[in-house]
Amino acid sequence: TGRGRTPFAGNIVPASRFDPVVAKLLPHFPAVSNPNATQLNNFVSQGQVYNLHKIDTKVDYTATPKLRISGRYGYQPYYNLQQPIYGDYLGGSGGFPSAGAGNYLQHGATLAISSSATYIVSPTFVIDATFGATQGHQLLFPTGSDQRQGADLGIPGANTGPLPWAGGLPNFAIANYTTLGYSYPALEYKDPIFEWTGNGTKTVGSHTIRFGLDILREHQNHIEVRPTIFTFSGNATALNGGPGANQYNSVADFLLGTATTLGNYVQYVYPLTLRTSELAFYVRDQYQVNRKLTVNYGVRYEKYPVPREANKGLNIYNIATNTISICGAAAIPADCGIHVSNKLFAPSVGIAYRPFENLV
């Protein structure tokens, strides 16, 4: 790179041979901000902003001498702004660690709420129940996600899909030098988890019997597709039989538009979803055999139904036949014939013995 010039303004490749798409990109390169540094460090990373707030509150309420209720609310919103090293149009990441992933804007929040109640039915019988929900919500937007930059440059098939998810500049990975565009596409993750538990505790003589159930429901809602990507290894301009390709060859490949590999990715369903449940029931007895010996024994039953998508069964890929089965469609069963055991019993035994007053 010449001192004070943009990184691709040299005479590696005659301008008349520049790829038409690359020629449209070059004017967007800013002038180097640190001309005395090496070619990998002659740009100064831009500023970042990161804000995180934590909100947490809890309420306890004794409704009657027998009933106690509590609730909790927690919320953590965050906001992260990364200025890409080459500006809003070109983005930039890769060889410059301080440039981040070139994603520009990330924000979202984590939510946690719960409520519980304990009720004394009698001096020997108590019931308790809890409901809880957590949700991670993450949104990420690279620069230009509101524009079809790749399509506007004339790249066939780029930015296929709705905005902002398919927007932005494709990824141009120049080996041993840098990456234009962004590492991650626009995405949204919204993943709530719900849990219900209920328990009863009954004391009968020297036995304390506890039983209950646990129901867990998990949701996944994802929007994410890899960006259109072009890689430039330098092999196209390396001398036949000469030294191996270096970073200057990679830049030359980029200027000529001779990509080593290229790929285009499209998401057809917005969002991709998954729904799954976990069920469990248990009973156990704590038996006070005598003053020195306590025995715990019980059993837990667990059930894991086959996961589903929000509105249909899963898609199952068969590598042997290179086919995809849509569970629940046509004659295919809703669980695609996947067998889930109904015999998941987990017994447990525990013993506590105190031979002396100071040894258990």
Side-chain angles (χ1 to χ4, degrees), residues 20-29 89-90 153 169 172 180 254:
V21 171
V22 174
K24 296 176 184 177
L25 294 175
L26 295 181
H28 293 281
F29 276 95
Y89 188 88
L90 293 180
L153 288 169
L169 185 70
F172 296 90
L180 308 179
F254 169 72

Side-chain angles (χ1 to χ4, degrees), residues 106-255:
Q106 301 182 56
H107 65 97
T110 300
L111 172 69
I113 59 174
S114 65
S115 62
S116 62
T118 302
Y119 183 69
I120 302 173
V121 181
S122 72
T124 61
F125 185 37
V126 179
I127 59 176
D128 62 87
T130 300
F131 167 75
T134 63
Q135 176 177 273
H137 190 192
Q138 176 188 10
L139 296 111
L140 183 152
F141 298 101
T143 58
S145 58
D146 60 341
Q147 307 169 46
R148 301 185 189 277
Q149 289 176 270
D152 292 342
L153 288 169
I155 301 174
N159 304 118
T160 301
L163 297 178
W165 316 116
L169 185 70
N171 190 294
F172 296 90
I174 305 169
N176 303 311
Y177 193 79
T178 191
T179 300
L180 308 179
Y182 50 91
S183 302
Y184 283 91
L187 62 82
E188 180 180 18
Y189 292 172
K190 193 172 185 179
D191 302 330
I193 301 175
F194 308 92
E195 186 169 14
W196 299 262
T197 66
N199 305 280
T201 304
K202 177 66 175 178
T203 301
V204 182
S206 57
H207 294 266
T208 301
I209 301 169
R210 187 165 170 83
F211 55 91
L213 76 161
D214 186 352
I215 303 173
L216 188 70
R217 178 72 172 172
E218 301 178 19
H219 290 203
Q220 288 186 358
N221 306 279
H222 288 190
I223 298 174
E224 179 182 10
V225 60
R226 292 184 61 182
T228 300
I229 184 170
F230 301 89
T231 63
F232 302 91
S233 66
N235 292 330
T237 55
L239 290 177
N240 207 359
N246 56 34
Q247 65 187 118
Y248 302 104
N249 294 115
S250 303
V251 172
D253 284 8
F254 169 72
L255 294 175

Side-chain angles (χ1 to χ4, degrees), residues 230-295:
F230 301 89
T231 63
F232 302 91
S233 66
N235 292 330
T237 55
L239 290 177
N240 207 359
N246 56 34
Q247 65 187 118
Y248 302 104
N249 294 115
S250 303
V251 172
D253 284 8
F254 169 72
L255 294 175
L256 292 170
T258 52
T260 308
T261 61
L262 53 91
N264 198 32
Y265 305 86
V266 179
Q267 180 169 332
Y268 291 100
V269 179
Y270 294 85
L272 295 170
T273 60
L274 186 69
R275 303 289 186 265
T276 184
S277 301
E278 299 175 13
L279 311 175
F281 306 89
Y282 79 95
V283 60
R284 67 103 171 130
D285 178 24
Q286 179 174 294
Y287 176 33
Q288 188 75 45
V289 182
N290 53 49
R291 288 176 53 85
K292 292 186 174 183
L293 177 63
T294 303
V295 178

